[in-house]
Amino acid sequence: MEKIVIGTRGSALALIQAEQVKATLEKIYNNRGFNLKIIKTKGDKIQNVALAKIGGKGLFTKEIEDALFKKEISLAVHSMKDLPVDLPEGLILAAIMKRIEPRDVLISREKVFLKNIKDGAKIGTSSPRRAAQLRAVKKDFKIFDLRGNITTRLKKIFSENFDAIVIAAAGLLRIGWIKEGKGFLKSPDELLYGNILPLDIMLPAVGQGAIGVEVCSDNLKIINMLSKINDKNTHIAISAERSFLKALGGGCQTPIGAFATINKEKLTIIGGVFSDDGQKISRAKIEGKKDKAEELGRQLAEKVEYNVS
């Protein structure tokens, strides 16, 4: 029987996400075979340079998309926050799995909340979006680039003497380093403690907390298979967020955050744009019918004053 090959990055988190897609498909199609193929991307290869300085879109996706075009893989698994809003012609986003915790988490060496961190604290993050919003809390925070996989970044709290780091809560939950509590995350060995940052302080990246599956648009067999693992409400919400980001002309290295939720037939999106120093902020919210997700995303972009650069 022909094996269906799933393309993925090779980091621990990427493999966990790909294994989740694989296990879900195997549960539905127990008579089919699925294999993983690890593909190294440009973003994986360059570890000693800040992502914002590398430039270009698709740092964690292009090589995997090339493998789709070459038919080396049947489908590609991505963190939705890494996937550019404009996909190459001939590729489509066939499924988005149910989103987990979308927010960011602050992990501090002294196990304190963001408001209690000292002035001039040394904080690590690889995201201009997070850096800008941190500076909006305290403009004298010293922000340092934080690259590497999750394990590496957690260790840098101690090895590079950070007061704290900020990373996505979803990755920590998926990798099992921390467990969820009431508004906080805690490592099983109790060495690390993190508090989830509320949306009024830290808007997440577009698509954060969700796993997407990309395929060739002419591969109808795989598209039909993936329809069974697509979470419709997550797909709609993230479509609204991606529409907002696209309308602003932004990418993953632009200080833009957004989060959409669905309650019955109503969709609510919060979006924000931030200056790099965090001193200029433009946030807005919009509500409407969920079947108008992309239109609502564009309307929200019009409400946000994009003049904070």
Side-chain angles (χ1 to χ4, degrees), residues 16-276:
I16 286 170
Q17 293 178 158
E19 287 285 1
Q20 183 180 340
V21 171
K22 178 175 178 284
T24 306
L25 288 170
E26 286 175 337
K27 189 174 181 179
I28 299 170
Y29 304 100
N30 55 17
N31 62 334
R32 302 299 301 263
F34 298 89
N35 285 342
L36 298 185
K37 180 181 176 65
I38 295 174
I39 299 169
K40 203 162 190 176
T41 68
K42 182 179 180 180
D44 296 313
K45 294 172 184 176
I46 304 174
Q47 288 291 322
N48 58 349
V49 180
L51 290 174
K53 294 181 180 178
I54 299 173
K57 296 181 180 180
L59 289 175
F60 295 106
T61 59
K62 185 181 184 302
E63 288 79 1
I64 300 175
E65 291 174 334
D66 289 344
L68 277 172
F69 283 125
K70 295 174 184 176
K71 309 299 182 185
E72 295 172 354
I73 58 175
S74 309
L75 54 106
V77 177
H78 305 286
S79 290
M80 279 305 305
K81 68 183 181 64
D82 293 334
L83 195 63
V85 291
D86 291 313
L87 301 185
E89 186 175 352
L91 299 182
I92 63 167
L93 185 59
I96 303 178
M97 300 187 73
K98 186 169 182 170
R99 188 181 222 166
I100 64 170
E101 175 58 67
R103 292 172 293 179
D104 289 305
V105 60
L106 176 101
I107 300 178
S108 59
R109 197 174 61 224
E110 301 300 326
K111 303 182 181 180
V112 296
F113 288 92
L114 180 60
K115 65 180 180 181
N116 300 126
I117 290 183
K118 65 184 182 183
D119 293 343
K122 181 180 178 181
I123 302 179
T125 177
S126 59
S127 161
R129 170 190 58 82
R130 293 179 184 128
Q133 292 181 89
L134 284 169
R135 291 187 177 110
V137 176
K138 286 187 180 181
K139 63 182 180 180
D140 65 348
F141 278 154
K142 295 179 174 62
I143 310 297
F144 291 81
D145 190 60
L146 183 71
R147 292 293 313 278
N149 59 38
I150 287 180
T151 303
T152 299
R153 283 182 280 170
L154 290 172
K155 289 179 178 178
K156 283 183 177 180
I157 296 175
F158 304 101
S159 66
E160 299 198 10
N161 200 33
F162 287 129
D163 293 292
I165 65 172
V166 179
I167 52 181
L172 292 169
L173 289 168
R174 284 201 173 99
I175 209 166
W177 271 70
I178 52 178
K179 55 188 177 182
E180 194 164 6
K182 292 183 179 179
F184 67 88
L185 302 171
K186 191 175 182 182
S187 65
D189 57 14
E190 300 194 2
L191 285 175
L192 298 172
Y193 173 94
N195 58 283
I196 294 175
L197 298 173
L199 296 175
D200 60 349
I201 290 177
M202 183 72 65
L203 276 176
V206 164
Q208 188 161 300
I211 299 169
V213 188
E214 188 180 24
V215 299
C216 290
S217 57
D218 60 357
N219 196 338
L220 301 182
K221 179 179 71 174
I222 298 297
I223 292 170
N224 182 60
M225 291 177 68
L226 291 172
S227 68
K228 302 294 193 299
I229 71 169
N230 182 57
D231 186 81
K232 291 181 180 178
N233 276 350
T234 298
H235 205 139
I236 291 169
I238 290 179
S239 293
E241 294 172 18
R242 286 168 66 82
S243 175
F244 168 73
L245 181 61
K246 183 175 181 177
L248 290 173
C252 64
Q253 294 306 310
T254 303
I256 295 172
F259 180 54
T261 54
I262 293 174
N263 183 9
K264 296 181 180 179
E265 297 303 309
K266 185 176 79 173
L267 182 144
T268 302
I269 323 172
I270 306 168
V273 185
F274 317 94
S275 63
D276 289 336

